[in-house]
Amino acid sequence: MTVFEASTRPGETPPADAVAPRDSSADAPTSVARLNATIRDFVARWNTVWVEGEITSWNVRGGNIFARLKDTRSDAQISIRIWSSVRPRIPGDLAVGDHVVAAVKADYFVKAGDFSFAVSAMKHVGLGDQLEKLEKLRQQLRQEGLFDASRKKRLPFLPHVIGLITGEKSDAEKDVHRNAELRWPQVRFRTEYAAVQGDRCVPETLAALARLDADPDVDVIVIARGGGDPQTLLGFSDERLVRAVAAATTPIVSAIGHENDHPLLDDVADLRASTPTDAAKRVVPDVSEQRALIAQLRSRATTRLTQRLSHDIAQLEQLRSRPSLRSPDPIIESRSQDVWLLLSRGRDTITRQHDAAGRATSELRASLRALSPAATLSRGYAIAHLEGGVILRDAADAPAGSSLTITVDRGSVAARSEGEIAEAPVPRSG
C-alpha cells in the first residue's frame, strides 16, 4: 500500500498527496494518485466472485488476454484480464460467443485508472443463446440451399454504378470510395445510408436494399460496415435480411466487420469481402493493372505475329530455293523425251493389239461364214421343209402327194412329193 505523508506547517495548505479523498475540498484537493490508490485499496478488499456471461471480445497481447463479458439477459458488460500465468488453467478453445462461467476478482489499475476483473478460473457453459440460435439458423438456411455456390451471381467486370449500403459518414464508406476511386477513377456510386447496429439496422438495410435492387443502373451492391463484437453485428445475421439478399436480382457483396467476423450475410452474399477495403478492391478492376495487362497482351500478340510471319517467310524462301521452283524448264525438258518414248511405245503397242484383233476377227468371220447354212445353199444345195416348217431328213416322211417347200440359195419354191425313189445300185469297178 502506498503511504502518503504530510509535510506541512501549521497554517499552510497541505500538498495534494497529503489529503485523503474523504477530507478533500476545493481549497485542499487530493491528488489523482492518492484517489486511485484509495480506490485500489478499497477494491482490493473485495472477494473473488463467480460470474456468468458471454464472451464478446477476445484479444491476445503479450501472452495475456484482454476480453469482455456480456450479461446473457441485458447489455451490461465487464472487462476481464487473463494473465499468462492463468492461461494454462483455462480451456484453450475459448472464443468470442462462448457462454462461460468465470472466477473474477476486481482489479483497479492505478496508473491508467482502469477498472477490470482479473480471471483466476474459467469454464464453458455452452454456446451463447444468441450464437446458438444463429448456428441453428445457419444450418437451416444451408439445407435450403441459400449458401450453394451454384446460386451465387457473378460480379460484372466493370460496374457502371455501385450501390453502397453503409452508415452515414462512416469509415467504411470512406474506405470503399477511396479504394475504388484509386483503382478506377471514373467509378460512380449510389449510396443509401442505414443504421449498422441496433434496432434500426435491419429495417433500414432492407429498405435501402430494395431501392438499390430496383434501380436498373446499379450493377452491384456492397453492404459495408466496420468491425465490431458479435452483439453489434447481429443485425447482419437477421433472417429477414438474409432472405432478402438471397432473393435480390443484383449481385451483392458482403463487407461486414473484419476477417474474423462471420455474420450470416457473408454466407448468402454472392461475394464475401473480409473488409470494406477488400470489397472495393474486388468490385472494380485496377486501371493500372488493366493497362499493364493490355500492354502485355499487345506485346505478346506482336511477338507471336512477328514469329509467325518470320516462320512463313522462311518457309516460302525455302520453297522458292528448290530447283523445281527456281528453274523448272530443265526438269520439264529432261522429262519430255521420256514422255515421247512412252507415247511411242504406247502407240506401237495399241497398233499391234489392234492389228492382232482385226486378224482374229477376220478368221472368226470366215469360220462363221463356212459354218453358215447360207454358205451351203450357195454351193447348190437345197433344204426341203414339210408343212409346219419341219426340215425333211428322211424320204419316208414325204409320201406321194406331200406338199414341200424347197429353199435354195435365193428364195424358196413349192413342190409336191412323188414318193420315195429307190436308190440305184452303185456300180462296181471292173
Side-chain angles (χ1 to χ4, degrees):
M1 177 183 294
T2 303
V3 177
F4 297 94
E5 296 181 355
S7 57
T8 61
R9 300 176 187 177
E12 291 183 353
T13 301
D17 283 345
V19 179
R22 64 175 179 273
D23 299 328
S24 64
S25 66
D27 297 328
T30 188
S31 67
V32 173
R34 183 72 182 264
L35 175 62
N36 279 356
T38 303
I39 295 174
R40 179 199 59 194
D41 295 341
F42 175 75
V43 169
R45 295 195 295 269
W46 295 1
N47 294 325
T48 299
V49 298
W50 285 92
V51 63
E52 177 183 355
E54 180 182 331
I55 299 175
T56 58
S57 68
W58 189 266
N59 300 309
V60 180
R61 295 199 299 269
N64 304 314
I65 298 174
F66 300 86
R68 292 186 68 81
L69 280 183
K70 177 184 176 297
D71 187 75
T72 58
R73 295 180 179 83
S74 67
D75 293 334
Q77 298 189 36
I78 61 171
S79 296
I80 60 174
R81 298 178 184 179
I82 305 174
W83 304 117
S84 57
S85 58
V86 179
R87 288 186 66 181
R89 302 199 301 269
I90 66 173
D93 60 346
L94 290 170
V96 172
D98 288 354
H99 189 182
V100 298
V101 171
V104 299
K105 182 174 176 57
D107 184 18
Y108 189 79
F109 189 47
V110 174
K111 185 176 181 179
D114 292 336
F115 182 82
S116 65
F117 291 86
V119 175
S120 58
M122 181 178 286
K123 63 180 182 178
H124 282 287
V125 172
L127 281 175
D129 292 339
Q130 293 173 328
L131 293 183
E132 185 176 5
K133 293 178 182 179
L134 289 183
E135 287 304 316
K136 291 181 180 179
L137 179 58
R138 193 188 304 273
Q139 294 299 326
Q140 176 187 341
L141 297 176
R142 180 177 287 110
Q143 292 176 358
E144 293 180 17
L146 265 64
F147 301 163
D148 292 349
S150 58
R151 59 156 296 277
K152 295 184 182 295
K153 298 176 283 296
R154 293 184 60 183
L155 270 62
F157 171 71
L158 179 60
H160 295 89
V161 178
I162 299 175
L164 177 61
I165 301 175
T166 188
E168 188 173 2
K169 298 180 180 179
S170 64
D171 291 338
E173 179 185 11
K174 297 174 183 177
D175 289 344
V176 173
H177 276 265
R178 180 173 61 254
N179 287 279
E181 290 167 357
L182 284 174
R183 293 173 64 83
W184 201 275
Q186 287 75 28
V187 67
R188 293 188 296 140
F189 284 91
R190 178 183 170 186
T191 304
E192 293 284 344
Y193 296 114
V196 292
Q197 68 183 59
D199 296 337
R200 294 165 39 221
C201 175
V202 175
E204 290 185 8
T205 304
L206 285 172
L209 176 62
R211 290 191 295 270
L212 291 178
D213 192 35
D215 189 343
D217 295 332
V218 175
D219 298 319
V220 63
I221 300 173
V222 178
I223 303 177
R225 69 149 285 162
D229 58 63
Q231 181 69 25
T232 61
L233 299 180
L234 285 177
F236 298 98
S237 294
D238 188 272
E239 184 175 1
R240 294 169 295 170
L241 178 59
V242 171
R243 292 190 180 278
V245 169
T249 58
T250 307
I252 295 178
V253 177
S254 172
I256 304 301
H258 299 302
E259 185 66 34
N260 295 328
D261 299 328
H262 191 193
L264 295 183
L265 180 63
D266 286 348
D267 294 322
V268 76
D270 299 296
L271 176 67
R272 186 237 179 188
S274 58
T275 62
T277 298
D278 181 47
K281 293 180 178 179
R282 301 179 70 175
V283 168
V284 295
D286 190 331
V287 63
S288 59
E289 291 179 0
Q290 297 305 313
R291 287 174 176 170
L293 178 61
I294 292 173
Q296 181 183 3
L297 293 175
R298 282 180 175 174
S299 176
R300 188 182 302 174
T302 301
T303 302
R304 292 285 182 87
L305 183 59
T306 302
Q307 290 176 347
R308 181 59 184 268
L309 289 175
S310 300
H311 178 266
D312 291 348
I313 290 172
Q315 280 194 324
L316 182 60
E317 290 297 331
Q318 184 180 4
L319 291 173
R320 291 177 60 186
S321 64
R322 293 180 181 179
S324 59
L325 294 178
R326 185 179 66 252
S327 181
D329 293 342
I331 298 177
I332 295 174
E333 292 172 357
S334 64
R335 295 296 182 183
S336 62
Q337 182 66 23
D338 296 337
V339 173
W340 184 84
L341 291 175
L342 291 174
L343 286 173
S344 298
R345 289 178 185 175
R347 189 179 293 108
D348 293 343
T349 301
I350 292 175
T351 300
R352 287 195 301 272
Q353 291 179 350
H354 181 269
D355 293 344
R359 289 193 297 272
T361 302
S362 299
E363 292 174 359
L364 289 174
R365 185 181 292 109
S367 298
L368 289 174
R369 186 179 293 110
L371 296 174
S372 174
T376 303
L377 295 176
S378 65
R379 293 197 301 270
Y381 290 92
I383 300 175
H385 296 271
L386 295 173
E387 292 182 356
V390 178
I391 297 176
L392 180 62
R393 301 179 185 278
D394 190 346
D397 293 336
S402 299
S403 298
L404 299 172
T405 301
I406 308 300
T407 302
V408 294
D409 184 34
R410 189 183 62 79
S412 299
V413 296
R416 187 174 299 276
S417 173
E418 294 295 337
E420 183 178 0
I421 301 174
E423 294 184 2
V426 177
R428 296 181 181 180
S429 61

